[in-house]
Amino acid sequence: MALVPYDETVLNGLKRFHNSSASYTFANHTIQIKQNWKELGVAAVVWDAAIVLCMYLEAGGINLNGRSVIELGAGTGLVGIVAALLGAEVTVTDREVALEFLNTNVHDNVPEDLLPKVSVKPLTWGKGLEDFSPFDVIVGADIIYLEETFQDLLNTILHLGTENTVILLSCKLRYQRDHHFLDMMKQHFSVVEVLYDQKVDVHIYKAMKICHGKEL
Ligand SMILES: C[S@@+](CC[C@H](N)C(=O)[O-])C[C@H]1O[C@@H](n2cnc3c(N)ncnc32)[C@H](O)[C@@H]1O
Protein backbone atom coordinates (compact mmCIF):
# COMPACT_ATOMS: atom_id res chain seq x y z
CA MET A 1 0.00 0.00 0.00
CA ALA A 2 1.30 3.47 -0.87
CA LEU A 3 2.12 5.41 2.30
CA VAL A 4 1.63 8.74 0.54
CA PRO A 5 -1.66 8.91 -1.30
CA TYR A 6 -1.32 10.40 -4.74
CA ASP A 7 -3.53 11.51 -7.55
CA GLU A 8 -2.26 10.52 -10.97
CA THR A 9 -3.40 13.78 -12.59
CA VAL A 10 -1.35 15.75 -10.03
CA LEU A 11 1.74 13.63 -10.74
CA ASN A 12 1.30 14.02 -14.50
CA GLY A 13 0.93 17.77 -14.01
CA LEU A 14 4.19 17.94 -12.07
CA LYS A 15 6.02 15.80 -14.64
CA ARG A 16 4.82 18.17 -17.36
CA PHE A 17 6.57 21.08 -15.63
CA HIS A 18 9.93 19.32 -15.93
CA ASN A 19 9.73 19.09 -19.72
CA SER A 20 12.04 21.59 -21.38
CA SER A 21 9.37 22.52 -23.88
CA ALA A 22 5.64 22.37 -24.44
CA SER A 23 3.75 22.60 -27.69
CA TYR A 24 0.29 24.09 -28.33
CA THR A 25 -1.82 24.94 -31.35
CA PHE A 26 -3.82 28.15 -31.17
CA ALA A 27 -5.07 30.50 -33.88
CA ASN A 28 -3.76 28.10 -36.56
CA HIS A 29 -0.20 28.37 -35.27
CA THR A 30 1.99 25.85 -33.52
CA ILE A 31 3.48 27.50 -30.46
CA GLN A 32 6.60 25.93 -29.00
CA ILE A 33 7.19 27.18 -25.46
CA LYS A 34 10.51 26.70 -23.68
CA GLN A 35 10.18 25.77 -19.98
CA ASN A 36 12.76 25.89 -17.17
CA TRP A 37 11.18 24.93 -13.88
CA LYS A 38 14.53 24.12 -12.24
CA GLU A 39 16.03 27.58 -12.66
CA LEU A 40 13.06 29.94 -12.84
CA GLY A 41 10.23 28.03 -11.15
CA VAL A 42 6.63 29.24 -11.52
CA ALA A 43 7.44 31.85 -14.17
CA ALA A 44 8.96 29.34 -16.58
CA VAL A 45 6.23 26.74 -17.02
CA VAL A 46 2.82 26.90 -18.65
CA TRP A 47 -0.04 26.72 -16.13
CA ASP A 48 -3.48 25.28 -16.88
CA ALA A 49 -5.03 28.70 -16.36
CA ALA A 50 -3.02 30.03 -19.32
CA ILE A 51 -4.14 27.20 -21.59
CA VAL A 52 -7.81 27.67 -20.63
CA LEU A 53 -7.58 31.42 -21.19
CA CYS A 54 -6.02 30.87 -24.63
CA MET A 55 -8.89 28.51 -25.52
CA TYR A 56 -11.38 31.16 -24.38
CA LEU A 57 -9.69 33.86 -26.46
CA GLU A 58 -9.37 31.62 -29.50
CA ALA A 59 -13.08 30.77 -29.26
CA GLY A 60 -13.83 34.51 -29.49
CA GLY A 61 -14.64 35.08 -25.81
CA ILE A 62 -13.84 38.70 -26.52
CA ASN A 63 -12.77 40.35 -29.73
CA LEU A 64 -9.06 41.21 -29.57
CA ASN A 65 -8.55 42.41 -33.11
CA GLY A 66 -6.89 45.84 -33.08
CA ARG A 67 -7.22 46.20 -29.31
CA SER A 68 -4.43 47.06 -26.89
CA VAL A 69 -3.81 44.23 -24.44
CA ILE A 70 -1.51 43.93 -21.44
CA GLU A 71 -0.67 40.57 -19.90
CA LEU A 72 0.31 40.62 -16.22
CA GLY A 73 2.54 37.92 -14.71
CA ALA A 74 2.94 36.45 -18.16
CA GLY A 75 5.48 33.75 -17.25
CA THR A 76 6.23 32.06 -20.56
CA GLY A 77 3.97 34.54 -22.39
CA LEU A 78 1.62 31.96 -23.95
CA VAL A 79 -1.49 34.12 -23.46
CA GLY A 80 0.19 37.25 -24.84
CA ILE A 81 1.46 35.30 -27.85
CA VAL A 82 -2.04 33.99 -28.61
CA ALA A 83 -3.51 37.49 -28.17
CA ALA A 84 -1.00 38.79 -30.74
CA LEU A 85 -1.92 35.98 -33.15
CA LEU A 86 -5.56 37.03 -32.73
CA GLY A 87 -4.75 40.56 -33.88
CA ALA A 88 -4.12 42.46 -30.65
CA GLU A 89 -1.36 44.95 -29.92
CA VAL A 90 0.21 43.31 -26.88
CA THR A 91 2.41 44.33 -23.97
CA VAL A 92 3.63 41.21 -22.22
CA THR A 93 4.91 41.78 -18.68
CA ASP A 94 6.45 40.02 -15.73
CA ARG A 95 9.05 40.63 -13.04
CA GLU A 96 12.54 41.61 -14.26
CA VAL A 97 13.94 38.20 -13.26
CA ALA A 98 11.59 36.40 -15.66
CA LEU A 99 12.01 38.81 -18.56
CA GLU A 100 14.83 37.29 -20.61
CA PHE A 101 13.09 33.93 -20.68
CA LEU A 102 9.75 35.55 -21.52
CA ASN A 103 11.37 37.56 -24.29
CA THR A 104 12.84 34.41 -25.86
CA ASN A 105 9.47 32.63 -25.91
CA VAL A 106 7.71 35.66 -27.37
CA HIS A 107 10.31 36.19 -30.09
CA ASP A 108 10.43 32.46 -30.93
CA ASN A 109 6.67 32.32 -31.47
CA VAL A 110 5.31 35.62 -32.72
CA PRO A 111 5.60 35.79 -36.54
CA GLU A 112 7.96 38.49 -37.76
CA ASP A 113 5.19 40.63 -39.29
CA LEU A 114 3.40 40.82 -35.93
CA LEU A 115 6.48 41.51 -33.80
CA PRO A 116 6.27 45.32 -34.14
CA LYS A 117 2.92 45.09 -32.33
CA VAL A 118 4.33 43.16 -29.38
CA SER A 119 6.49 44.46 -26.56
CA VAL A 120 7.94 42.70 -23.56
CA LYS A 121 8.33 44.91 -20.48
CA PRO A 122 9.21 44.51 -16.82
CA LEU A 123 6.29 45.13 -14.51
CA THR A 124 6.31 44.24 -10.85
CA TRP A 125 2.80 44.87 -9.57
CA GLY A 126 2.40 48.21 -7.86
CA LYS A 127 5.77 49.53 -9.08
CA GLY A 128 6.54 52.06 -11.82
CA LEU A 129 2.91 52.22 -12.88
CA GLU A 130 3.40 55.77 -14.15
CA ASP A 131 5.25 54.21 -17.13
CA PHE A 132 2.00 52.56 -18.30
CA SER A 133 -1.16 54.09 -19.78
CA PRO A 134 -4.56 52.36 -19.77
CA PHE A 135 -5.23 49.39 -22.08
CA ASP A 136 -8.39 48.09 -23.76
CA VAL A 137 -7.90 44.65 -22.25
CA ILE A 138 -5.97 43.32 -19.24
CA VAL A 139 -5.31 39.57 -19.06
CA GLY A 140 -3.74 37.45 -16.36
CA ALA A 141 -3.46 33.69 -15.91
CA ASP A 142 -2.79 32.14 -12.51
CA ILE A 143 -1.65 35.40 -10.96
CA ILE A 144 -3.89 35.27 -7.87
CA TYR A 145 -1.79 33.19 -5.50
CA LEU A 146 0.45 35.38 -3.30
CA GLU A 147 -1.51 37.17 -0.61
CA GLU A 148 1.25 39.72 -0.03
CA THR A 149 0.89 40.88 -3.65
CA PHE A 150 -2.92 41.25 -3.66
CA GLN A 151 -3.07 44.99 -2.90
CA ASP A 152 -0.30 45.77 -5.44
CA LEU A 153 -1.99 43.60 -8.06
CA LEU A 154 -5.30 45.38 -7.47
CA ASN A 155 -3.62 48.81 -7.66
CA THR A 156 -1.98 47.73 -10.93
CA ILE A 157 -5.26 46.64 -12.47
CA LEU A 158 -6.92 49.87 -11.27
CA HIS A 159 -4.14 51.94 -12.84
CA LEU A 160 -4.11 50.07 -16.16
CA GLY A 161 -7.83 50.26 -16.85
CA THR A 162 -10.59 52.74 -17.54
CA GLU A 163 -14.31 52.05 -17.25
CA ASN A 164 -14.11 50.64 -20.81
CA THR A 165 -11.31 48.18 -20.09
CA VAL A 166 -12.16 44.48 -20.02
CA ILE A 167 -10.20 42.44 -17.48
CA LEU A 168 -9.92 38.68 -17.85
CA LEU A 169 -8.47 36.72 -14.95
CA SER A 170 -8.07 32.99 -15.38
CA CYS A 171 -7.40 31.23 -12.12
CA LYS A 172 -7.26 28.12 -10.07
CA LEU A 173 -8.64 29.09 -6.66
CA ARG A 174 -6.47 26.95 -4.43
CA TYR A 175 -6.95 28.62 -1.07
CA GLN A 176 -9.57 30.69 0.74
CA ARG A 177 -7.29 33.73 0.46
CA ASP A 178 -7.62 33.58 -3.34
CA HIS A 179 -11.34 34.23 -2.93
CA HIS A 180 -10.39 37.22 -0.79
CA PHE A 181 -8.69 38.79 -3.82
CA LEU A 182 -11.92 38.43 -5.81
CA ASP A 183 -13.75 40.17 -2.95
CA MET A 184 -11.19 43.00 -3.13
CA MET A 185 -11.82 43.23 -6.89
CA LYS A 186 -15.59 43.42 -6.34
CA GLN A 187 -15.18 46.68 -4.40
CA HIS A 188 -14.11 48.39 -7.64
CA PHE A 189 -15.25 46.13 -10.50
CA SER A 190 -18.30 44.17 -11.56
CA VAL A 191 -16.96 40.62 -11.68
CA VAL A 192 -18.65 37.81 -13.60
CA GLU A 193 -17.52 34.21 -14.04
CA VAL A 194 -17.58 33.60 -17.80
CA LEU A 195 -16.15 30.08 -17.82
CA TYR A 196 -15.39 27.21 -15.49
CA ASP A 197 -13.30 24.32 -16.81
CA GLN A 198 -14.10 21.50 -14.44
CA LYS A 199 -11.45 19.16 -15.86
CA VAL A 200 -8.61 21.36 -14.69
CA ASP A 201 -10.56 23.38 -12.09
CA VAL A 202 -9.90 26.75 -13.72
CA HIS A 203 -12.27 29.72 -13.59
CA ILE A 204 -12.23 32.72 -15.89
CA TYR A 205 -13.57 35.96 -14.46
CA LYS A 206 -14.41 39.00 -16.55
CA ALA A 207 -14.34 42.30 -14.72
CA MET A 208 -15.13 45.90 -15.59
CA LYS A 209 -14.72 49.00 -13.47
CA ILE A 210 -17.85 50.06 -11.64
CA CYS A 211 -18.67 53.49 -12.94
CA HIS A 212 -20.04 55.37 -9.91
CA GLY A 213 -22.34 58.25 -10.75
CA LYS A 214 -22.78 57.36 -14.43
CA GLU A 215 -26.51 57.03 -13.89
CA LEU A 216 -26.74 60.67 -12.68
C1 LIG B 1 1.79 30.81 -11.51
S1 LIG B 1 2.77 31.83 -12.56
C2 LIG B 1 1.70 32.02 -13.98
C3 LIG B 1 2.48 32.27 -15.25
C4 LIG B 1 1.62 32.37 -16.52
N1 LIG B 1 0.71 33.49 -16.44
C5 LIG B 1 0.87 31.10 -16.78
O1 LIG B 1 -0.30 31.02 -16.40
O2 LIG B 1 1.46 30.17 -17.35
C6 LIG B 1 2.65 33.44 -11.76
C7 LIG B 1 3.37 34.54 -12.50
O3 LIG B 1 3.19 35.76 -11.76
C8 LIG B 1 4.43 36.46 -11.72
N2 LIG B 1 4.47 37.30 -10.51
C9 LIG B 1 4.47 36.91 -9.22
N3 LIG B 1 4.55 37.98 -8.40
C10 LIG B 1 4.60 39.07 -9.20
C11 LIG B 1 4.69 40.47 -8.94
N4 LIG B 1 4.75 40.95 -7.70
N5 LIG B 1 4.72 41.30 -10.00
C12 LIG B 1 4.65 40.84 -11.26
N6 LIG B 1 4.56 39.51 -11.58
C13 LIG B 1 4.54 38.64 -10.55
C14 LIG B 1 5.47 35.35 -11.66
O4 LIG B 1 6.74 35.80 -12.07
C15 LIG B 1 4.87 34.31 -12.60
O5 LIG B 1 5.26 34.50 -13.92
Side-chain angles (χ1 to χ4, degrees):
M1 194 177 75
L3 288 178
V4 181
Y6 66 88
D7 173 342
E8 217 167 291
T9 53
V10 172
L11 282 187
N12 285 339
L14 291 176
K15 254 192 253 159
R16 196 185 77 192
F17 286 167
H18 289 273
N19 294 338
S20 60
S21 71
S23 184
Y24 304 92
T25 303
F26 286 111
N28 298 321
H29 286 75
T30 299
I31 301 167
Q32 196 80 31
I33 296 287
K34 289 192 175 73
Q35 299 195 125
N36 190 345
W37 172 260
K38 254 190 169 165
E39 282 177 32
L40 287 169
V42 297
V45 293
V46 177
W47 294 83
D48 286 335
I51 300 167
V52 174
L53 185 51
C54 289
M55 292 186 329
Y56 179 79
L57 295 176
E58 183 185 48
I62 61 167
N63 178 19
L64 291 181
N65 198 21
R67 302 182 85 188
S68 62
V69 175
I70 184 163
E71 182 180 10
L72 304 177
T76 63
L78 179 64
V79 175
I81 292 165
V82 170
L85 293 173
L86 293 170
E89 195 160 310
V90 189
T91 302
V92 194
T93 71
D94 207 306
R95 295 168 303 150
E96 188 78 56
V97 67
L99 226 63
E100 193 184 333
F101 194 71
L102 174 58
N103 205 33
T104 303
N105 272 317
V106 168
H107 281 82
D108 283 356
N109 286 291
V110 174
E112 205 134 301
D113 57 320
L114 297 182
L115 270 178
K117 292 192 168 182
V118 179
S119 49
V120 178
K121 290 188 179 164
L123 173 53
T124 296
W125 305 325
K127 303 217 163 70
L129 296 178
E130 60 284 357
D131 295 341
F132 295 86
S133 303
F135 288 80
D136 297 330
V137 182
I138 301 171
V139 291
D142 217 337
I143 57 172
I144 306 170
Y145 69 112
L146 295 171
E147 195 165 24
E148 64 272 23
T149 66
F150 284 178
Q151 191 58 52
D152 286 334
L153 178 56
L154 178 63
N155 292 345
T156 303
I157 295 172
L158 281 166
H159 177 87
L160 295 172
T162 67
E163 64 267 28
N164 297 316
T165 300
V166 176
I167 299 130
L168 288 174
L169 297 174
S170 178
C171 38
K172 201 167 259 212
L173 300 171
R174 300 178 179 88
Y175 305 102
Q176 192 51 38
R177 61 175 190 247
D178 302 342
H179 293 268
H180 176 54
F181 180 77
L182 292 174
D183 290 339
M184 291 167 69
M185 283 284 291
K186 285 174 189 164
Q187 290 173 19
H188 305 271
F189 300 91
S190 64
V191 181
V192 182
E193 185 181 81
V194 289
L195 188 139
Y196 175 60
D197 187 327
Q198 198 175 10
K199 212 166 131 219
V200 285
D201 189 24
V202 165
H203 306 255
I204 298 182
Y205 295 97
K206 180 174 174 178
M208 288 192 77
K209 237 178 215 172
I210 297 168
C211 202
H212 294 289
K214 207 172 189 178
E215 61 277 8
L216 294 177

